[in-house]
Amino acid sequence: MSSIREDALYIANEAINAVLPENAVISALRSAEFEGGVILIAIGKAAWRMASAAKEALGDKIMKGVVITKYHHSLGEIEGIEVYEAGHPVPDENTLKATERALEVTRNLSEKDTVLFLVSGGGSALFESLREGVTLGDLANITKQLLNSGANIVEINAVRKHLSRVKGGGFASLVQPARVFSLVLSDVLGDRLDSIASGPAYPDSSTSEEALNIVRKYGISISERVKEVLALETPKALNNVETKIIGSVSKVCEVAARKAESLGYRAKILTSTLDCEAREAGTFLAAIAREICEFNSPFEKPCAVVLGGETVVHVKGSGKGGRNQELALSAARGIKGLDNTVILSVGTDGTDGPTDAAGGIVDGTTVERLMEKGMNIDDFLDNNDTYHALRAIDDLIITGPTGTNVNDLILMLIR
Ligand SMILES: Nc1ncnc2c1ncn2[C@@H]1O[C@H](COP(=O)(O)OP(=O)(O)OP(=O)(O)O)[C@@H](O)[C@H]1O
Ligand SMILES: O=C(O)[C@H](O)CO
Ligand SMILES: [Mg+2]
């Protein structure tokens, strides 16, 4: 019989594999039918992988294509497709140039043609054509201010959409009357399609008024000229678009639950939108573990409790770590001494904070194993130094970059 730790790692691995862009794109295109020509446009950090999978699935049906990804994120040439790299998280000159090229190859299409639009996180910075009255300097400056302001991604993108010709449904409007078939790898909690990469092919739910309020709320400094541009509305309805989400943290959770069941655990998805402070999530999860261990309730053993989301860390210490490592280590404190209990937290992109680890996996012996090394768990948590604590006792999860990016998976197994 496999150990409970092995089970947890197996389940997480299977769940992440299910949202690798290659597998997901190929299976989504298997059933798709295209009447006229297909023009491929791929944007975001996973753009290259998504495009190369589409090429594998459709071959010469793709007439032309443009891939725009982050620097060092393309993996070579793709036959018949132009591959560009550009600035992220702050857009640069290459963002504008590559986007211009994407607009050129999708100009003058007929209603029989399809723009196969492959969207992944990071797309907001990588795909941009500015409205008149806004310069690249304005956008770079506003982007930097927004990224440092504490505004969330939905808020940041509401502003970016109102400065752009292609965001907030703009791209789908520009390629009319062609149809847009859009495959989306979601990195936004709740899978808000108009926020992922700022929704270039999705009707915008945000308004100019909201964008102006966000600028005010976070004290973003903008010129009068830019303020006038923000006041122009984005498209609120589009009739040429079909969209499929091919990967998201909800899917990761579903697969994790299914795999856990196949190993004999009763599985429950607690949430797929966890977004609180990482150490609070860990403490809370540990409290649930104690309840289950003592009272066999609210979930009956053997059980798997699955969560998805993206917690936050307000870094105050000078140590090294990431939100998943911090969640895991704080959970370890709460499950100290419990038998047959494992908690794992992992970033599906394989990188947790500025470290080479993807996350952490802890159990009832983690605190004791630290103590044996003369290490006090509280010191490491206080200093946001979870990486060094987990590394010392072999409780890190190291996968290397996975090639996908759909937030984080948290899994608790008890038997
Ligand atoms: N020492 C630390 N301990 C805990 N968390 C940290 C530490 N240093 C940085 N972080 C957190 O790591 C986060 C960045 O991590 P990461 O690069 O995994 O982000 P991400 O959201 O996955 O990025 P992307 O959207 O580009 O994939 C920061 O938001 C910060 O809160
Ligand atoms: O590009 C973006 O806007 C973020 O990654 C969210 O999708
Ligand atoms: Mg990450």
Side-chain angles (χ1 to χ4, degrees), residues 45 88 120-126 153 157 160 185-188 195-198 405:
K45 292 196 221 166
H88 176 280
S120 57
S124 291
L126 299 163
I153 191 68
N157 288 353
R160 296 202 270 205
L185 194 62
S186 170
D187 69 334
V188 173
S195 290
I196 301 164
S198 297
N405 182 18

Tab-separated table of all heavy atoms in Angstrom, residues 45 88 120-126 153 157 160 185-188 195-198 405, ligand 2:
chain	number	residue	atom	x	y	z
A	45	LYS	N	1.466	33.712	-21.321
A	45	LYS	CA	2.665	32.962	-20.953
A	45	LYS	C	2.652	31.544	-21.519
A	45	LYS	O	3.699	30.947	-21.705
A	45	LYS	CB	2.790	32.892	-19.428
A	45	LYS	CG	3.095	34.232	-18.793
A	45	LYS	CD	3.582	34.024	-17.368
A	45	LYS	CE	2.997	35.060	-16.455
A	45	LYS	NZ	3.163	34.722	-15.052
A	88	HIS	N	6.668	41.744	-20.080
A	88	HIS	CA	5.696	41.321	-19.068
A	88	HIS	C	6.351	41.449	-17.703
A	88	HIS	O	7.498	41.028	-17.567
A	88	HIS	CB	5.273	39.876	-19.329
A	88	HIS	CG	4.339	39.353	-18.273
A	88	HIS	ND1	4.778	38.907	-17.045
A	88	HIS	CD2	2.988	39.260	-18.247
A	88	HIS	CE1	3.740	38.546	-16.311
A	88	HIS	NE2	2.639	38.742	-17.013
A	120	SER	N	-3.957	32.912	-22.542
A	120	SER	CA	-3.480	32.486	-21.220
A	120	SER	C	-3.037	33.700	-20.418
A	120	SER	O	-2.919	34.805	-20.948
A	120	SER	CB	-2.340	31.469	-21.371
A	120	SER	OG	-1.287	32.012	-22.132
A	121	GLY	N	-2.794	33.470	-19.143
A	121	GLY	CA	-2.411	34.553	-18.232
A	121	GLY	C	-1.161	35.280	-18.712
A	121	GLY	O	-0.288	34.677	-19.343
A	122	GLY	N	-1.112	36.562	-18.421
A	122	GLY	CA	-0.009	37.380	-18.914
A	122	GLY	C	-0.387	38.122	-20.186
A	122	GLY	O	0.312	39.036	-20.619
A	123	GLY	N	-1.495	37.707	-20.774
A	123	GLY	CA	-1.939	38.291	-22.038
A	123	GLY	C	-2.164	39.800	-21.985
A	123	GLY	O	-1.983	40.490	-22.993
A	124	SER	N	-2.529	40.306	-20.830
A	124	SER	CA	-2.789	41.754	-20.747
A	124	SER	C	-1.568	42.582	-21.125
A	124	SER	O	-1.690	43.605	-21.788
A	124	SER	CB	-3.201	42.142	-19.328
A	124	SER	OG	-4.463	41.616	-19.043
A	125	ALA	N	-0.393	42.144	-20.669
A	125	ALA	CA	0.819	42.911	-20.959
A	125	ALA	C	1.321	42.642	-22.370
A	125	ALA	O	1.992	43.477	-22.963
A	125	ALA	CB	1.913	42.554	-19.950
A	126	LEU	N	0.971	41.470	-22.909
A	126	LEU	CA	1.593	41.024	-24.158
A	126	LEU	C	0.792	41.380	-25.403
A	126	LEU	O	1.289	41.281	-26.519
A	126	LEU	CB	1.803	39.503	-24.087
A	126	LEU	CG	2.729	39.081	-22.933
A	126	LEU	CD1	2.597	37.597	-22.629
A	126	LEU	CD2	4.175	39.438	-23.266
A	153	ILE	N	-6.524	41.811	-9.694
A	153	ILE	CA	-6.382	41.695	-11.150
A	153	ILE	C	-7.646	42.170	-11.886
A	153	ILE	O	-7.569	42.737	-12.982
A	153	ILE	CB	-5.970	40.251	-11.553
A	153	ILE	CG1	-5.549	40.192	-13.030
A	153	ILE	CG2	-7.063	39.250	-11.293
A	153	ILE	CD1	-4.275	40.906	-13.351
A	157	ASN	N	-7.315	45.192	-14.522
A	157	ASN	CA	-7.706	45.003	-15.917
A	157	ASN	C	-8.881	45.891	-16.330
A	157	ASN	O	-9.005	46.247	-17.497
A	157	ASN	CB	-7.985	43.521	-16.186
A	157	ASN	CG	-6.680	42.728	-16.211
A	157	ASN	OD1	-5.593	43.311	-16.157
A	157	ASN	ND2	-6.776	41.413	-16.296
A	160	ARG	N	-7.025	48.860	-17.552
A	160	ARG	CA	-6.311	48.592	-18.807
A	160	ARG	C	-7.271	48.471	-19.988
A	160	ARG	O	-6.976	48.926	-21.086
A	160	ARG	CB	-5.496	47.297	-18.684
A	160	ARG	CG	-4.391	47.378	-17.636
A	160	ARG	CD	-3.298	46.367	-17.881
A	160	ARG	NE	-3.522	45.089	-17.212
A	160	ARG	CZ	-2.516	44.258	-16.881
A	160	ARG	NH1	-1.259	44.574	-17.168
A	160	ARG	NH2	-2.769	43.112	-16.289
A	185	LEU	N	-7.031	29.385	-20.987
A	185	LEU	CA	-6.437	28.778	-19.793
A	185	LEU	C	-6.540	29.835	-18.689
A	185	LEU	O	-5.880	30.863	-18.763
A	185	LEU	CB	-4.970	28.464	-20.115
A	185	LEU	CG	-4.187	27.550	-19.208
A	185	LEU	CD1	-4.789	26.157	-19.159
A	185	LEU	CD2	-2.738	27.450	-19.713
A	186	SER	N	-7.363	29.571	-17.714
A	186	SER	CA	-7.705	30.627	-16.743
A	186	SER	C	-6.703	30.757	-15.601
A	186	SER	O	-6.385	29.779	-14.936
A	186	SER	CB	-9.085	30.336	-16.139
A	186	SER	OG	-9.332	31.195	-15.049
A	187	ASP	N	-6.240	31.972	-15.360
A	187	ASP	CA	-5.423	32.227	-14.161
A	187	ASP	C	-6.113	33.241	-13.250
A	187	ASP	O	-5.465	33.839	-12.393
A	187	ASP	CB	-4.014	32.705	-14.531
A	187	ASP	CG	-3.998	34.094	-15.148
A	187	ASP	OD1	-5.010	34.506	-15.743
A	187	ASP	OD2	-2.974	34.781	-15.025
A	188	VAL	N	-7.431	33.405	-13.441
A	188	VAL	CA	-8.181	34.349	-12.606
A	188	VAL	C	-9.211	33.553	-11.792
A	188	VAL	O	-9.962	32.747	-12.353
A	188	VAL	CB	-8.894	35.414	-13.469
A	188	VAL	CG1	-9.797	36.281	-12.622
A	188	VAL	CG2	-7.864	36.270	-14.205
A	195	SER	N	-11.942	39.161	-17.533
A	195	SER	CA	-10.733	39.619	-16.855
A	195	SER	C	-9.479	38.867	-17.300
A	195	SER	O	-8.387	39.416	-17.266
A	195	SER	CB	-10.867	39.448	-15.338
A	195	SER	OG	-11.803	40.367	-14.839
A	196	ILE	N	-9.624	37.606	-17.685
A	196	ILE	CA	-8.446	36.822	-18.070
A	196	ILE	C	-7.793	37.490	-19.295
A	196	ILE	O	-8.455	37.671	-20.324
A	196	ILE	CB	-8.842	35.363	-18.400
A	196	ILE	CG1	-9.511	34.707	-17.193
A	196	ILE	CG2	-7.611	34.568	-18.848
A	196	ILE	CD1	-10.275	33.433	-17.512
A	197	ALA	N	-6.529	37.892	-19.135
A	197	ALA	CA	-5.819	38.628	-20.200
A	197	ALA	C	-6.615	39.857	-20.660
A	197	ALA	O	-6.466	40.330	-21.784
A	197	ALA	CB	-5.500	37.712	-21.375
A	198	SER	N	-7.467	40.365	-19.797
A	198	SER	CA	-8.336	41.522	-20.085
A	198	SER	C	-9.351	41.266	-21.205
A	198	SER	O	-9.800	42.210	-21.868
A	198	SER	CB	-7.503	42.774	-20.432
A	198	SER	OG	-6.706	43.151	-19.332
A	405	ASN	N	-0.341	27.324	-15.858
A	405	ASN	CA	-0.432	28.384	-14.854
A	405	ASN	C	-1.902	28.649	-14.534
A	405	ASN	O	-2.533	29.476	-15.174
A	405	ASN	CB	0.235	29.654	-15.417
A	405	ASN	CG	0.224	30.801	-14.427
A	405	ASN	OD1	0.037	30.617	-13.229
A	405	ASN	ND2	0.414	32.009	-14.936
B	2	LIG	O1	-2.806	38.843	-18.142
B	2	LIG	C1	-3.530	39.075	-17.177
B	2	LIG	O2	-4.346	40.002	-17.147
B	2	LIG	C2	-3.483	38.215	-15.954
B	2	LIG	O3	-2.532	37.195	-16.068
B	2	LIG	C3	-4.846	37.637	-15.723
B	2	LIG	O4	-5.250	36.842	-16.788
